[in-house]
Amino acid sequence: MSELKRFKNYMDGQWFDASTNETFEQRNPAKLSEVTGLFPFSSKDDTLKIIESAQKAFSDWKAISPAKRADYLRSVLVLMVQRKDEISKIITLENGKIISDSLSEVNSAINEMGFQINEGLRLFGETIPVSIEEVFAYTVKEPLGVVSVISPWNFPFNVPVRKITPALMAGNTCVFKPASLTPQTGYILAKLFDDAGIPAGVFNMLTGSGNEVGNIIVSDPRIKAVSFTGSTEVGMEILKKTAIYATRTQLELGGKNATVILEDTDIDSAIKDVIRAAFACSGQWCTSTSRVIVVKKVAQEFTEKLVEATNSIIVGNGFDKKAGMGPVCGASQVETIMKYIEIGKKEGAKLLAGGNRVTNNDFQDGCFIEPTIFGYVNQNMKIAQEEIFGPVLSIITVENLEEAIEVSNDIKYGLCSSIYTNNINHAMRFIEQTEVGLTHVNLMTSFKEPQLPFGGIKESGVGLPEAGKTGIEFFIKYKTVYMKYT
Ligand code: NAP
Ligand code: MG
């Protein structure tokens, strides 16, 4: 057996092991016996040092012009484009998603980065007339200081890029902790910054546990902003800690996203979208559709066709070009998802497709679950209310648009939603009343582009949305200047 590759933390422009020399393993979700690498299990000391390194680099990075910062980040972007395939392979290796989806993730990251670099060149202030003569008043946007970025395993590349780029363009320095299920994707991102020659300490990355490393980088008073994407549970705990020093906080959290199907739509094209939104990345996009709310009139036709399309999805290793859906990300995901499938059965929902692990031949050692559909789901069932974060879709039948809106909103989450209809009145009514951060008409719940804001409401999000113009706004503070010039 060849020796396992050992990866390092990136701090102050150098690569380091954990000071305790401890490591943790990452395993391929398609084949759990395969350890993909060993990663630093960073200690409290390592974490404090890394914050120190970012702190030391801050004043110089703040002082250089946004144009020069853009030059550095464009060099990172060039490498990202060159290494697209390599990065995609690491994402599939660690996360399991099919390779074409990993490539889409990298392409999204490239677009997000390009957009945010340019936004960083437009840190415009205002000049504002005041009531006394010969006083010039204006505003400037300034960086906050050291910011921390914590990312999940489902978009292990795109999510951190979307946060780190505006953070750095605004003149902040950054400490980044990737999810422990996808540490090599974090490493490969740090490698881009290092190879592009980013000044030491501006960007730092360390791996380790959420409870130790994550906890410190949200609690330390030197951290001036926290941008977190992950579960609602962890996010809400972070909010309590960042409250202590009034640290600016942005949380992108869980979802239970609904797609509404009305009778006046093209069922076949709606189904194509629902299949993608429900089962791409094995239903582990935060924007995945996990509830379909369909009006009675077309419920039977829609359900039959959806089940047929679902049964034709080929589950397989993400590197296999024939696979339409890869494994879920890790043993603990398998356990949670299978638990919810059992709950759904016990609650009286009708299993219409899937429902099992895939364990034959090549798959017995992996985290494969069939794409699963429950019909006759009641709004009060757990499977209709809780985030499963897996390839499990619930179909809820309703009488009409009013009931569809009511059911779609009757939930603690508010990330995204979608409606399929050709009736403009119905679409507008839905847009007005849907309680989410982003909504769609005749497009899947997951559709998004970098130039528009992205963020949830209710228990799906806190603080300014990422991306768009708010992406960089989160990472700056205003200074108001009054200057008497006589
Ligand atoms: P998670 O368990 O909340 O972990 C997210 C990140 O937080 C990981 O890096 C984790 O580190 C770290 N962490 C864990 N405990 C922490 C603590 N006490 N303090 C600070 N950091 C801590 O979420 P996940 O399981 O990775 O991701 C799935 C969740 O993310 C789902 O709920 C999904 O909906 C949500 N999500 C939301 C969006 C969005 O934009 N709204 C996007 C993607 C995902 P370790 O890995 O070391 O535990
Ligand atoms: Mg977790």
Side-chain angles (χ1 to χ4, degrees):
M1 199 177 117
S2 65
E3 205 176 320
L4 275 175
K5 181 146 191 219
R6 214 176 142 147
F7 295 86
K8 290 176 194 273
N9 289 335
Y10 183 64
M11 172 175 83
D12 206 15
Q14 314 266 356
W15 296 96
F16 289 93
D17 288 317
S19 53
T20 56
N21 220 17
E22 274 185 81
T23 57
F24 67 95
E25 302 171 341
Q26 199 285 341
R27 286 169 186 268
N28 178 353
K31 195 171 190 289
L32 286 173
S33 58
E34 181 189 339
V35 177
T36 64
L38 296 175
F39 298 84
F41 191 70
S42 308
S43 66
K44 180 176 177 186
D45 269 3
D46 300 322
T47 314
L48 295 175
K49 268 196 202 130
I50 220 162
I51 297 173
E52 175 76 36
S53 137
Q55 174 88 353
K56 228 174 51 198
F58 175 58
S59 59
D60 283 355
W61 184 247
K62 177 188 174 187
I64 69 170
S65 70
K68 284 204 185 107
R69 296 201 284 260
D71 284 343
Y72 281 114
L73 294 191
R74 280 198 203 99
S75 310
V76 175
L77 188 54
V78 166
L79 294 178
M80 197 180 286
V81 172
Q82 283 169 5
R83 296 178 192 175
K84 251 188 212 188
D85 290 333
E86 182 196 349
I87 300 165
S88 308
K89 282 180 193 154
I90 293 169
I91 295 173
T92 292
L93 182 73
E94 291 195 315
N95 169 285
K97 65 176 79 173
I98 59 172
I99 191 77
S100 57
D101 282 344
S102 295
L103 190 58
S104 301
E105 176 174 350
V106 182
N107 282 327
S108 296
I110 289 167
N111 292 336
E112 303 258 12
M113 187 161 197
F115 180 82
Q116 291 297 337
I117 290 173
N118 289 326
E119 276 301 288
L121 297 172
R122 290 189 279 265
L123 289 170
F124 303 142
E126 288 180 301
T127 61
I128 301 154
V130 290
S131 64
I132 353 168
E133 290 76 35
E134 299 182 325
V135 170
F136 178 53
Y138 65 100
T139 60
V140 275
K141 293 179 176 175
E142 295 189 338
L144 303 169
V146 181
V147 304
S148 47
V149 166
I150 301 179
S151 65
W153 44 262
N154 66 335
F155 281 110
F157 195 73
N158 188 19
V159 166
V161 168
R162 184 158 80 221
K163 295 171 185 289
I164 292 162
T165 311
L168 298 187
M169 276 308 297
N172 305 285
T173 56
C174 174
V175 172
F176 165 47
K177 186 200 116 47
S180 296
L181 285 170
T182 52
Q184 197 180 151
T185 311
Y187 162 83
I188 201 74
L189 181 58
K191 187 87 170 61
L192 297 179
F193 279 94
D194 188 42
D195 290 349
I198 194 96
V202 168
F203 172 79
N204 307 274
M205 184 279 308
L206 85 174
T207 55
S209 85
N211 280 334
E212 178 85 297
V213 173
N215 178 41
I216 297 169
I217 67 171
V218 303
S219 309
D220 191 286
R222 291 170 295 178
I223 299 293
K224 299 305 175 202
V226 172
S227 181
F228 169 88
T229 299
S231 60
T232 295
E233 198 187 1
V234 172
M236 293 306 174
E237 284 305 310
I238 289 177
L239 201 53
K240 291 183 200 158
K241 294 172 190 162
T242 55
I244 296 171
Y245 297 109
T247 307
R248 191 173 296 189
T249 309
Q250 174 180 61
L251 307 173
E252 298 298 350
L253 308 172
K256 186 78 187 173
N257 311 306
T259 293
V260 172
I261 308 286
L262 299 186
E263 65 269 28
D264 48 37
T265 193
D266 171 3
I267 297 280
D268 294 317
S269 72
I271 283 174
K272 250 170 114 182
D273 282 5
V274 169
I275 288 284
R276 174 121 186 98
F279 300 122
C281 195
S282 302
Q284 301 166 116
W285 284 344
C286 52
T287 53
S288 291
T289 290
S290 56
R291 300 182 291 155
V292 175
I293 301 169
V294 53
V295 292
K296 232 182 205 159
K297 235 179 179 169
V298 289
Q300 194 184 343
E301 182 195 353
F302 176 84
T303 304
E304 282 170 11
K305 287 181 167 172
L306 186 74
V307 168
E308 195 190 327
T310 301
N311 286 333
S312 71
I313 295 172
I314 299 172
V315 177
N317 190 308
F319 288 108
D320 179 350
K321 291 262 164 22
K322 289 195 295 292
M325 193 178 99
V328 302
C329 192
S332 133
Q333 275 295 99
V334 173
E335 200 183 309
T336 310
I337 296 162
M338 293 312 295
K339 184 192 84 188
Y340 273 111
I341 292 175
E342 284 315 305
I343 289 173
K345 289 186 204 160
K346 285 208 189 95
E347 286 180 312
K350 190 167 174 203
L351 190 60
L352 301 176
N356 304 299
R357 290 190 63 174
V358 184
T359 50
N360 50 321
N361 308 327
D362 295 348
F363 298 134
Q364 49 189 329
D365 188 25
C367 304
F368 297 92
I369 297 178
E370 291 170 345
T372 298
I373 296 181
F374 278 111
Y376 300 94
V377 175
N378 172 310
Q379 172 63 359
N380 299 318
M381 292 178 181
K382 273 193 172 162
I383 57 164
Q385 287 288 331
E386 296 178 14
E387 185 185 47
I388 301 174
F389 219 52
V392 183
L393 181 65
S394 292
I395 302 179
I396 302 170
T397 305
V398 293
E399 291 294 333
N400 50 33
L401 173 67
E402 284 66 36
E403 195 187 347
I405 294 174
E406 198 182 302
V407 166
S408 68
N409 286 339
D410 176 24
I411 195 130
K412 69 175 184 175
Y413 294 109
L415 186 55
C416 49
S417 66
S418 179
I419 188 166
Y420 285 77
T421 177
N422 290 323
N423 180 319
I424 186 78
N425 297 323
H426 292 161
M428 289 307 291
R429 198 121 42 94
F430 182 77
I431 293 167
E432 280 166 14
Q433 294 182 25
T434 184
E435 296 169 359
V436 293
L438 63 156
T439 192
H440 308 78
V441 177
N442 300 325
L443 287 166
M444 63 175 169
T445 50
S446 327
F447 186 81
K448 65 179 287 295
E449 292 210 341
Q451 63 279 25
L452 277 83
F454 175 77
I457 59 166
K458 294 160 85 172
E459 290 186 35
S460 289
V462 173
L464 278 181
E466 296 178 347
K469 282 183 180 300
T470 51
I472 198 154
E473 196 70 20
F474 174 74
F475 290 105
I476 57 108
K477 60 182 185 233
Y478 283 83
K479 182 175 278 172
T480 299
V481 183
Y482 294 90
M483 183 171 63
K484 188 159 171 59
Y485 52 87
T486 53

